[in-house]
Amino acid sequence: MTTETEEHPGGSTDTGLSRHVHRLLTRVRAFDARRPWPWDAAVTSCWAVAALVDAAGGWRNTAPDPTLPAWFVTAFGLALTVPLYWRRRHPVPALAVMAGAALVSDASGAFLQASYLQLLPVFHIALLRPPRALLWALALLLPPLVTGAVRFAPGDWDQRVVPALWAYALVALLGITVRSRRDYTAGLVDRARRLETERDQEVRLAAAAERTRIAREMHDIIGHNLSVITGLADGGRYAAAKNPERAAQALDAIGTTSREALADLRRLLGVLRDDEQEAVRDPQPTLADLDALLTGVREAGLPVRLDTRAEPPSHPLSPGAQLTVYRVVQEALTNTLKHAGPDAKATVLLTYAPGEVRAEVTDTGTGAARAPGGQGQGLTGMRERAALYDGTLDCGPLPAGGWSVRLRIPLRTAL
């Protein structure tokens, strides 16, 4: 026979009884919250029966006037207990009724023990009502105490009034303590719920941002390399009839470009795996890889020239900023391969100005088939990359013909 136990850091064991008790209490509270009347009726009935038992003769042991009729004691005993049914929903009116019955009881000399049941409404006033409601409770509690003490115990009235007031004060403090604890727990629950909601929102935003980043990278990698492969294939097809050696070179270049595209795609998809080391094994492209990029574009049939003005800054650009410049140049040249026409030429100009770095890609193509207003998916991706570093990107046709893409990134965010 086995028992379910848990070992705690202090060395004690929990047999699971506390969990069962906690679960049972949670169910009882939930039932009471849905249907409060059974518990209220049970409490009221118990105290009413006790008051009736006391009315059978026990009240005479403490009463200054034991000659009062039984019906009188019974009626006011019920008047001190029946209002308990409304003690949680309407504690102040319930206390008012009970205080009136207590006033008659003490003024008549019955001094019914049921008067102490006024502690229950006092507790619920402290628990459920604003603090100023306790002043109204005090105003209701004092007249019965003072009346009975002055009429039947003028010499030692304080022995009757002061202990009762201390009892009411302690019950009120207990209600305030329970209320503070309950409010504190509710605040923690609400804070935990809000934190969980914020965490879920952050997860969704991070997932959306990651999907956007992956889509942007796949567009840049696949779009550029397919454009290069298309240009090489077209050139190889024309060269096959006249210069088989050039056609073979084009096929070699297609194979090399395809393998590079496949490697980049595998590296990008690696971020979706569980193994992070596998995902970051290959570094992202930087400005040092621009020469290899331009070489591939030239092999695809687009003459392109790289110019650099001024010296690079003393502090190198961050890897993310270099990747942004690289991808913008790559996308601009890809668009040139797609839309500029067979006789187009391109120029890439990198400028390190005071406080900023600029990249400009221009071509001599027609640009007629390009997205109007720069709303293509690739151009949108370039603008998003620039915005990550507080940069700007402008693109559009040139007055003399051709197309221009201009990127500007502040150095304070690029370092």
Side-chain angles (χ1 to χ4, degrees):
M1 181 177 180
T2 60
T3 57
E4 182 184 2
T5 61
E6 291 183 0
E7 185 70 25
H8 293 280
S12 62
T13 59
D14 184 1
T15 61
L17 179 61
S18 61
R19 292 199 304 275
H20 294 306
V21 172
H22 177 72
R23 196 173 300 135
L24 178 61
L25 290 177
T26 301
R27 292 178 180 176
V28 170
R29 292 192 189 99
F31 177 82
D32 183 62
R34 295 192 305 269
R35 299 178 179 86
W37 65 267
W39 176 250
D40 292 338
V43 171
T44 303
S45 300
C46 290
W47 287 114
V49 171
L52 293 176
V53 172
D54 185 59
W59 64 278
R60 292 187 176 90
N61 296 326
T62 57
D65 185 3
T67 63
L68 295 172
W71 67 265
F72 179 89
V73 177
T74 301
F76 283 93
L78 292 176
L80 286 167
T81 55
V82 172
L84 292 176
Y85 182 79
W86 295 276
R87 74 193 185 282
R88 293 195 291 180
R89 287 165 289 176
H90 308 288
V92 176
L95 179 62
V97 174
M98 296 175 69
L103 177 62
V104 175
S105 171
D106 288 5
S108 63
F111 280 22
L112 297 178
Q113 299 299 308
S115 298
Y116 289 105
L117 294 177
Q118 295 175 99
L119 294 171
L120 295 177
V122 170
F123 173 80
H124 287 286
I125 290 173
L127 181 65
L128 303 173
R129 294 294 181 262
R132 64 176 179 273
L134 290 173
L135 297 177
W136 290 101
L138 180 63
L140 293 172
L141 294 170
L142 279 177
L145 294 175
V146 174
T147 300
V150 171
R151 183 173 181 183
F152 295 99
D156 55 352
W157 65 270
D158 56 329
Q159 295 182 7
R160 173 168 173 79
V161 174
V162 174
L165 290 179
W166 271 113
Y168 293 136
L170 291 176
V171 170
L173 289 176
L174 177 62
I176 293 173
T177 302
V178 174
R179 178 177 185 167
S180 301
R181 180 65 179 177
R182 186 189 61 182
D183 293 343
Y184 177 73
T185 303
L188 290 179
V189 172
D190 181 68
R191 182 171 179 266
R193 187 181 297 110
R194 286 188 287 105
L195 289 175
E196 183 177 1
T197 302
E198 293 175 1
R199 182 199 64 189
D200 293 341
Q201 291 176 349
E202 291 176 357
V203 170
R204 288 194 294 270
L205 291 175
E210 187 65 13
R211 286 195 298 269
T212 302
R213 186 185 73 83
I214 293 174
R216 189 166 55 228
E217 290 287 338
M218 292 186 68
H219 175 273
D220 292 341
I221 293 171
I222 297 176
H224 171 75
N225 286 286
L226 287 180
S227 297
V228 172
I229 291 172
T230 300
L232 291 171
D234 291 340
R237 181 165 59 88
Y238 288 115
K242 299 180 180 179
N243 192 341
E245 182 178 353
R246 293 284 297 175
Q249 293 176 356
L251 291 176
D252 291 339
I254 289 174
T256 301
T257 303
S258 300
R259 285 189 292 271
E260 292 177 353
L262 184 59
D264 289 340
L265 187 59
R266 285 175 175 170
R267 175 187 55 79
L268 180 61
L269 295 179
V271 301
L272 301 178
R273 301 173 184 165
D274 294 333
D275 188 358
E276 296 183 0
Q277 294 181 355
E278 184 70 18
V280 300
R281 179 175 297 174
D282 296 330
Q284 293 276 23
T286 64
L287 294 180
D289 299 307
L290 278 179
D291 290 335
L293 172 67
L294 300 185
T295 299
V297 173
R298 294 188 188 102
E299 292 177 353
L302 175 65
V304 57
R305 186 179 78 254
L306 173 64
D307 292 335
T308 302
R309 294 181 182 176
E311 292 294 329
S314 57
H315 298 284
L317 301 181
S318 66
Q322 294 190 49
L323 176 63
T324 296
V325 175
Y326 179 92
R327 291 303 189 198
V328 168
V329 172
Q330 182 186 53
E331 178 63 25
L333 294 177
T334 300
N335 289 337
T336 300
L337 282 171
K338 290 180 180 179
H339 308 298
D343 298 326
K345 297 180 181 179
T347 301
V348 178
L349 176 62
L350 289 180
T351 303
Y352 297 96
E356 64 181 15
V357 58
R358 296 194 296 266
E360 183 176 1
V361 181
T362 57
D363 63 59
T364 59
T366 58
R370 306 190 195 192
Q375 298 302 318
Q377 182 178 358
L379 296 178
T380 301
M382 287 193 288
R383 286 195 174 94
E384 292 175 351
R385 289 185 183 276
L388 290 176
Y389 294 90
D390 297 332
T392 59
L393 186 132
D394 300 316
C395 55
L398 296 173
W403 194 267
S404 173
V405 175
R406 296 174 297 278
L407 169 69
R408 184 192 69 84
I409 298 179
L411 284 179
R412 66 178 182 276
T413 59
L415 296 179

